[in-house]
Amino acid sequence: MLSLFQRKRVPLANAAAPPPVEPAKGLTRPQSATSLLAEPRRQRLLEHIWQRTSLSRRQFRSLYLAPLERYAELVQQFPASEAHHHAWPGGMLDHGLEIVAYALKLRQSHLLPAGASPEAQAAQAEAWTAGTAYAALLHDIGKIAVDLHVEQADGLVWHPWHGPLRQPYRFRYRTDREYRLHGAATGLLYTRVLDAGILDWLSDYHDLWSALLYVLAGQYEHAGTLGELVVKADQASVALALGGDPARAMAAPKHALQRKLLDGLRYLLHEEFKLNQPGGPSDGWLTQDALWLVSKTVSDKLRAHLLSQGIEGIPSNNTAVFSVLQDHGIVQPAPDGKAIWRATVTSGTGWSHSFTFLRLSPALIWESGERPAPFAGTVTTEEPLPGDEAAPGSDGIPATSPPPGVADSPAGLADPVSDLLSMLDASDAATAGASSAGAEPPSPSAGATVTVTHSALTGPATMPAPAKATPSGEAFIAWLRQGIESRKLIINDAKALVHTVDGTAYLVSPGVFQRYVQEHPEIQALARQDDLHDWQWVQKRFEKLGLHRKQDSGLNIWTCDVTGPRKSRRLHGYLLAAPSALFAEVPPDNPYLSLARG
């Protein structure tokens, strides 16, 4: 095996100067695979990939280089995301090569298929290595089919199933794209990269073939070790692109929650957060060597943004959010090893205040050319207080003030990177957000060969949050209706907050109001003015609309019996007088729920 790493290598592709683009027309000229792969960094990645196989050069060209070349011709100069990781011209190709290299490195630590005899594992070794490379390479290729609108010089729209681009082209990100669709779209394109001979070969290995098809369908949870390898390699490539630590990302759990948190964080910093505003409302301060974000503000707004995109699995407990960010290397630990820093901000005018912060590397958020000017004052860190355990949980407002609403936060969170939060507890129906789903983020850096202007882009691929209406009873009903129509809020599920009972809608209380508050953290301030819990503030405004059906006794709340295959329990909530307030077409009643009698 050592001879494989010691023998002299020859270049895998002949270097060629890229052909000129046509900047006057705002178009990019398509390049050959040889030209695209000739960049020195890409050549080094190809060399690394070869070293992870045990093939001759001829075999490598057939099984690896040929698919990589077909992939390069398809993805051309497209970025991998609109403004997050690999958001530069050619970022999709760079990400593809990186994730293959990382995946093959990880694959060396596994004997596959798991549980097979040593003889069977040895016989299938090269097939599993190649399958790992293909799964990694193709995991995001569906983006070019569903996320991008590509026009050729002749004005016709190009789709990747037409084959590689042959004319100069321009592209933009679709404003109506769905951020989980690209995983399903992979099936449109993988035969453009993998030829019939490769597919015939792989299909002879049942376990590998099944796992590969699950990955290509975006169903990583069914793909076993192969799915884990792809997810970890993807995290490593993303961490590298964002200035993080690829080694930590490769060791991270397979769940994708960390990536969603970082996507949302970058969006908020680009679009919503206010920085460097001493004496006024500021969400953080940027110094020469660090980005200091007020901890509670970050957690509340990040959770609200991601939930508004339909991304579940976001812990309602701030400590869990901070732990996820720290575990993935996104925030830098304080001297006591925790995520929370205590620091005092002092401006040049003498204004000064203490806060609890999360500290990040600015390179995770901005490239060097787009980084804002640093704060003119100072941020001075303080030593953590002995036994100070409360700060990570909720603070992040001025350190002298008690954190509002802590008592309202649902407790008992599971590990933040495992099966996270249950939205509906059997005993008290208290809920908050729960399981993780995928998306991609923000607008690409303008480059010499990609002529997409910032005005043509609509922001992050984590989908810009729609303008929020002022919180009210009417806004709550509109939010419910929109969430049900878009399927961001699932109905009649074991964890649902809305069911159909007795021919109308049943709203689980207080869970549905708590969920609304999570997406609208500004309600906390309104509720404090009325001396109410935030969810109670929403509940009272809902009741004033008079849309709910009261019991004969005058009570607002109805009890439902939930009868499942293994246990029974009770829910409490509101029945709407007319289901048309939420449903254009009323779904059938949930067969597991019935109004309690007596």
Side-chain angles (χ1 to χ4, degrees):
M1 224 17 221
L2 286 175
S3 62
L4 191 67
F5 298 92
Q6 293 169 348
R7 67 176 180 259
K8 184 176 180 180
R9 301 286 184 173
V10 295
L12 296 172
N14 296 323
V21 296
E22 300 178 350
K25 294 183 180 180
L27 298 172
T28 299
R29 187 189 299 275
Q31 299 181 44
S32 68
T34 300
S35 176
L36 289 164
L37 294 172
E39 183 181 303
R41 183 174 180 275
R42 293 171 181 168
Q43 283 289 300
R44 290 195 297 272
L45 283 167
L46 287 172
E47 191 72 26
H48 177 89
I49 292 168
W50 192 8
Q51 290 176 358
R52 299 294 175 184
T53 72
S54 55
L55 301 174
S56 68
R57 181 185 171 98
R58 181 183 63 81
Q59 292 170 319
F60 179 84
R61 173 167 288 280
S62 175
L63 291 180
Y64 288 84
L65 189 56
L68 287 166
E69 288 175 340
R70 290 191 286 266
Y71 178 86
E73 284 197 332
L74 273 181
V75 304
Q76 287 290 327
Q77 292 281 40
F78 300 135
S81 66
E82 197 177 350
H84 180 41
H85 72 90
H86 299 84
W88 54 79
M92 178 73 85
L93 179 54
D94 289 333
H95 182 45
L97 293 172
E98 287 173 11
I99 190 174
V100 170
Y102 280 126
L104 292 185
K105 177 179 174 64
L106 290 167
R107 186 265 180 272
Q108 290 185 318
S109 301
H110 294 268
L111 295 173
L112 299 171
S117 68
E119 294 79 9
Q121 290 173 339
Q124 298 183 40
E126 198 53 54
W128 276 90
T129 300
T132 300
Y134 303 149
L137 180 67
L138 295 170
H139 83 291
D140 269 349
I141 197 171
K143 290 180 180 180
I144 67 173
V146 296
D147 285 1
L148 300 175
H149 177 86
V150 184
E151 292 181 1
Q152 301 178 127
D154 61 7
L156 295 179
V157 174
W158 173 83
H159 296 290
W161 49 83
H162 297 163
L165 280 155
R166 301 302 181 197
Q167 297 183 42
Y169 63 94
R170 63 168 59 89
F171 75 91
R172 60 178 170 81
Y173 275 82
R174 296 180 181 275
T175 57
D176 60 346
R177 64 191 184 277
E178 296 182 29
Y179 297 99
R180 304 175 199 176
L181 191 59
H182 69 267
T186 300
L188 293 170
L189 302 178
Y190 65 77
T191 55
R192 282 279 173 188
V193 175
L194 304 180
D195 60 30
I198 287 176
L199 295 175
D200 288 346
W201 174 53
L202 296 175
S203 67
D204 286 337
Y205 302 95
H206 178 266
D207 291 340
L208 169 60
W209 185 241
S210 299
L212 178 61
L213 291 179
Y214 277 128
V215 170
L216 296 181
Q219 298 183 37
Y220 294 89
E221 67 275 17
H222 300 303
T225 301
L226 187 66
E228 290 190 43
L229 293 176
V230 173
V231 170
K232 289 183 179 180
D234 184 38
Q235 291 173 339
S237 177
V238 170
L240 180 67
L242 298 179
D245 184 346
R248 270 186 91 177
M250 290 171 73
K254 64 182 178 181
H255 302 274
L257 177 58
Q258 299 95 328
R259 178 172 166 181
K260 307 298 177 270
L261 291 167
L262 183 55
D263 290 350
L265 193 59
R266 287 170 56 86
Y267 167 72
L268 291 171
L269 279 155
H270 279 286
E271 302 294 334
E272 289 192 17
F273 282 174
K274 297 178 181 179
L275 298 180
N276 298 347
Q277 299 189 50
S282 188
D283 300 307
W285 285 266
L286 174 65
T287 61
Q288 289 287 358
D289 59 349
L291 172 62
W292 302 90
L293 297 178
V294 178
S295 59
K296 182 172 175 17
T297 300
V298 170
S299 184
D300 288 346
K301 291 190 175 182
L302 182 56
R303 182 186 300 109
H305 170 69
L306 295 180
L307 286 172
S308 73
Q309 308 310 309
I311 299 173
E312 303 282 353
I314 311 304
S316 63
N317 179 290
N318 286 348
T319 304
V321 175
F322 302 152
S323 296
V324 173
L325 293 170
Q326 184 178 8
D327 289 345
H328 197 48
I330 297 171
V331 301
Q332 300 171 353
D336 61 357
K338 299 177 182 177
I340 293 295
W341 295 69
R342 289 186 178 272
T344 300
V345 180
T346 304
S347 72
T349 61
W351 176 88
S352 180
H353 220 308
S354 295
F355 297 87
T356 58
F357 288 107
L358 300 178
R359 173 176 169 151
L360 292 79
S361 167
L364 283 175
I365 308 300
W366 301 284
E367 296 183 9
S368 57
E370 59 181 19
R371 182 173 168 176
F375 177 48
T378 61
V379 177
T380 306
T381 59
E382 305 170 8
E383 289 296 323
L385 300 175
D388 185 6
E389 299 293 335
S394 53
D395 227 38
I397 54 175
T400 55
S401 303
V406 175
D408 305 334
S409 299
L413 277 176
D415 184 301
V417 290
S418 58
D419 287 332
L420 294 174
L421 180 69
S422 173
M423 286 181 65
L424 186 61
D425 180 76
S427 60
D428 60 12
T431 82
S435 83
S436 166
E440 267 308 294
S443 120
S445 309
T449 57
V450 176
T451 55
V452 181
T453 62
H454 287 291
S455 61
L457 302 170
T458 58
T462 46
M463 199 158 62
K468 292 181 179 177
T470 302
S472 64
E474 292 83 359
F476 168 73
I477 292 295
W479 168 82
L480 267 181
R481 187 185 304 113
Q482 192 277 333
I484 292 168
E485 289 175 354
S486 65
R487 303 200 177 188
K488 290 177 184 175
L489 293 175
I490 304 300
I491 65 170
N492 291 336
D493 182 80
K495 298 179 179 179
L497 300 174
V498 179
H499 299 270
T500 43
V501 178
D502 201 33
T504 189
Y506 181 78
L507 310 184
V508 177
S509 179
V512 69
F513 304 113
Q514 291 172 329
R515 171 61 186 272
Y516 180 69
V517 167
Q518 287 186 313
E519 292 193 29
H520 299 78
E522 65 273 20
I523 291 174
Q524 290 183 4
L526 298 172
R528 281 199 296 270
Q529 295 174 8
D530 294 344
D531 197 25
L532 293 170
H533 292 306
D534 44 16
W535 65 266
Q536 289 176 326
W537 187 93
V538 181
Q539 183 186 49
K540 284 186 175 295
R541 275 142 187 82
F542 163 75
E543 288 182 352
K544 288 181 180 179
L545 296 178
L547 297 177
H548 61 290
R549 183 194 306 174
K550 292 189 177 184
Q551 297 192 47
D552 294 340
S553 63
L555 292 177
N556 292 312
I557 297 295
W558 294 75
T559 300
C560 271
D561 290 323
V562 184
T563 305
R566 291 184 299 273
K567 62 181 181 180
S568 299
R569 56 191 175 94
R570 287 195 156 190
L571 296 178
H572 304 280
Y574 292 84
L575 276 177
L576 293 192
S580 57
L582 293 187
F583 302 123
E585 183 176 341
V586 184
D589 284 355
N590 186 337
Y592 297 104
L593 266 68
S594 59
L595 291 179
R597 303 299 177 185

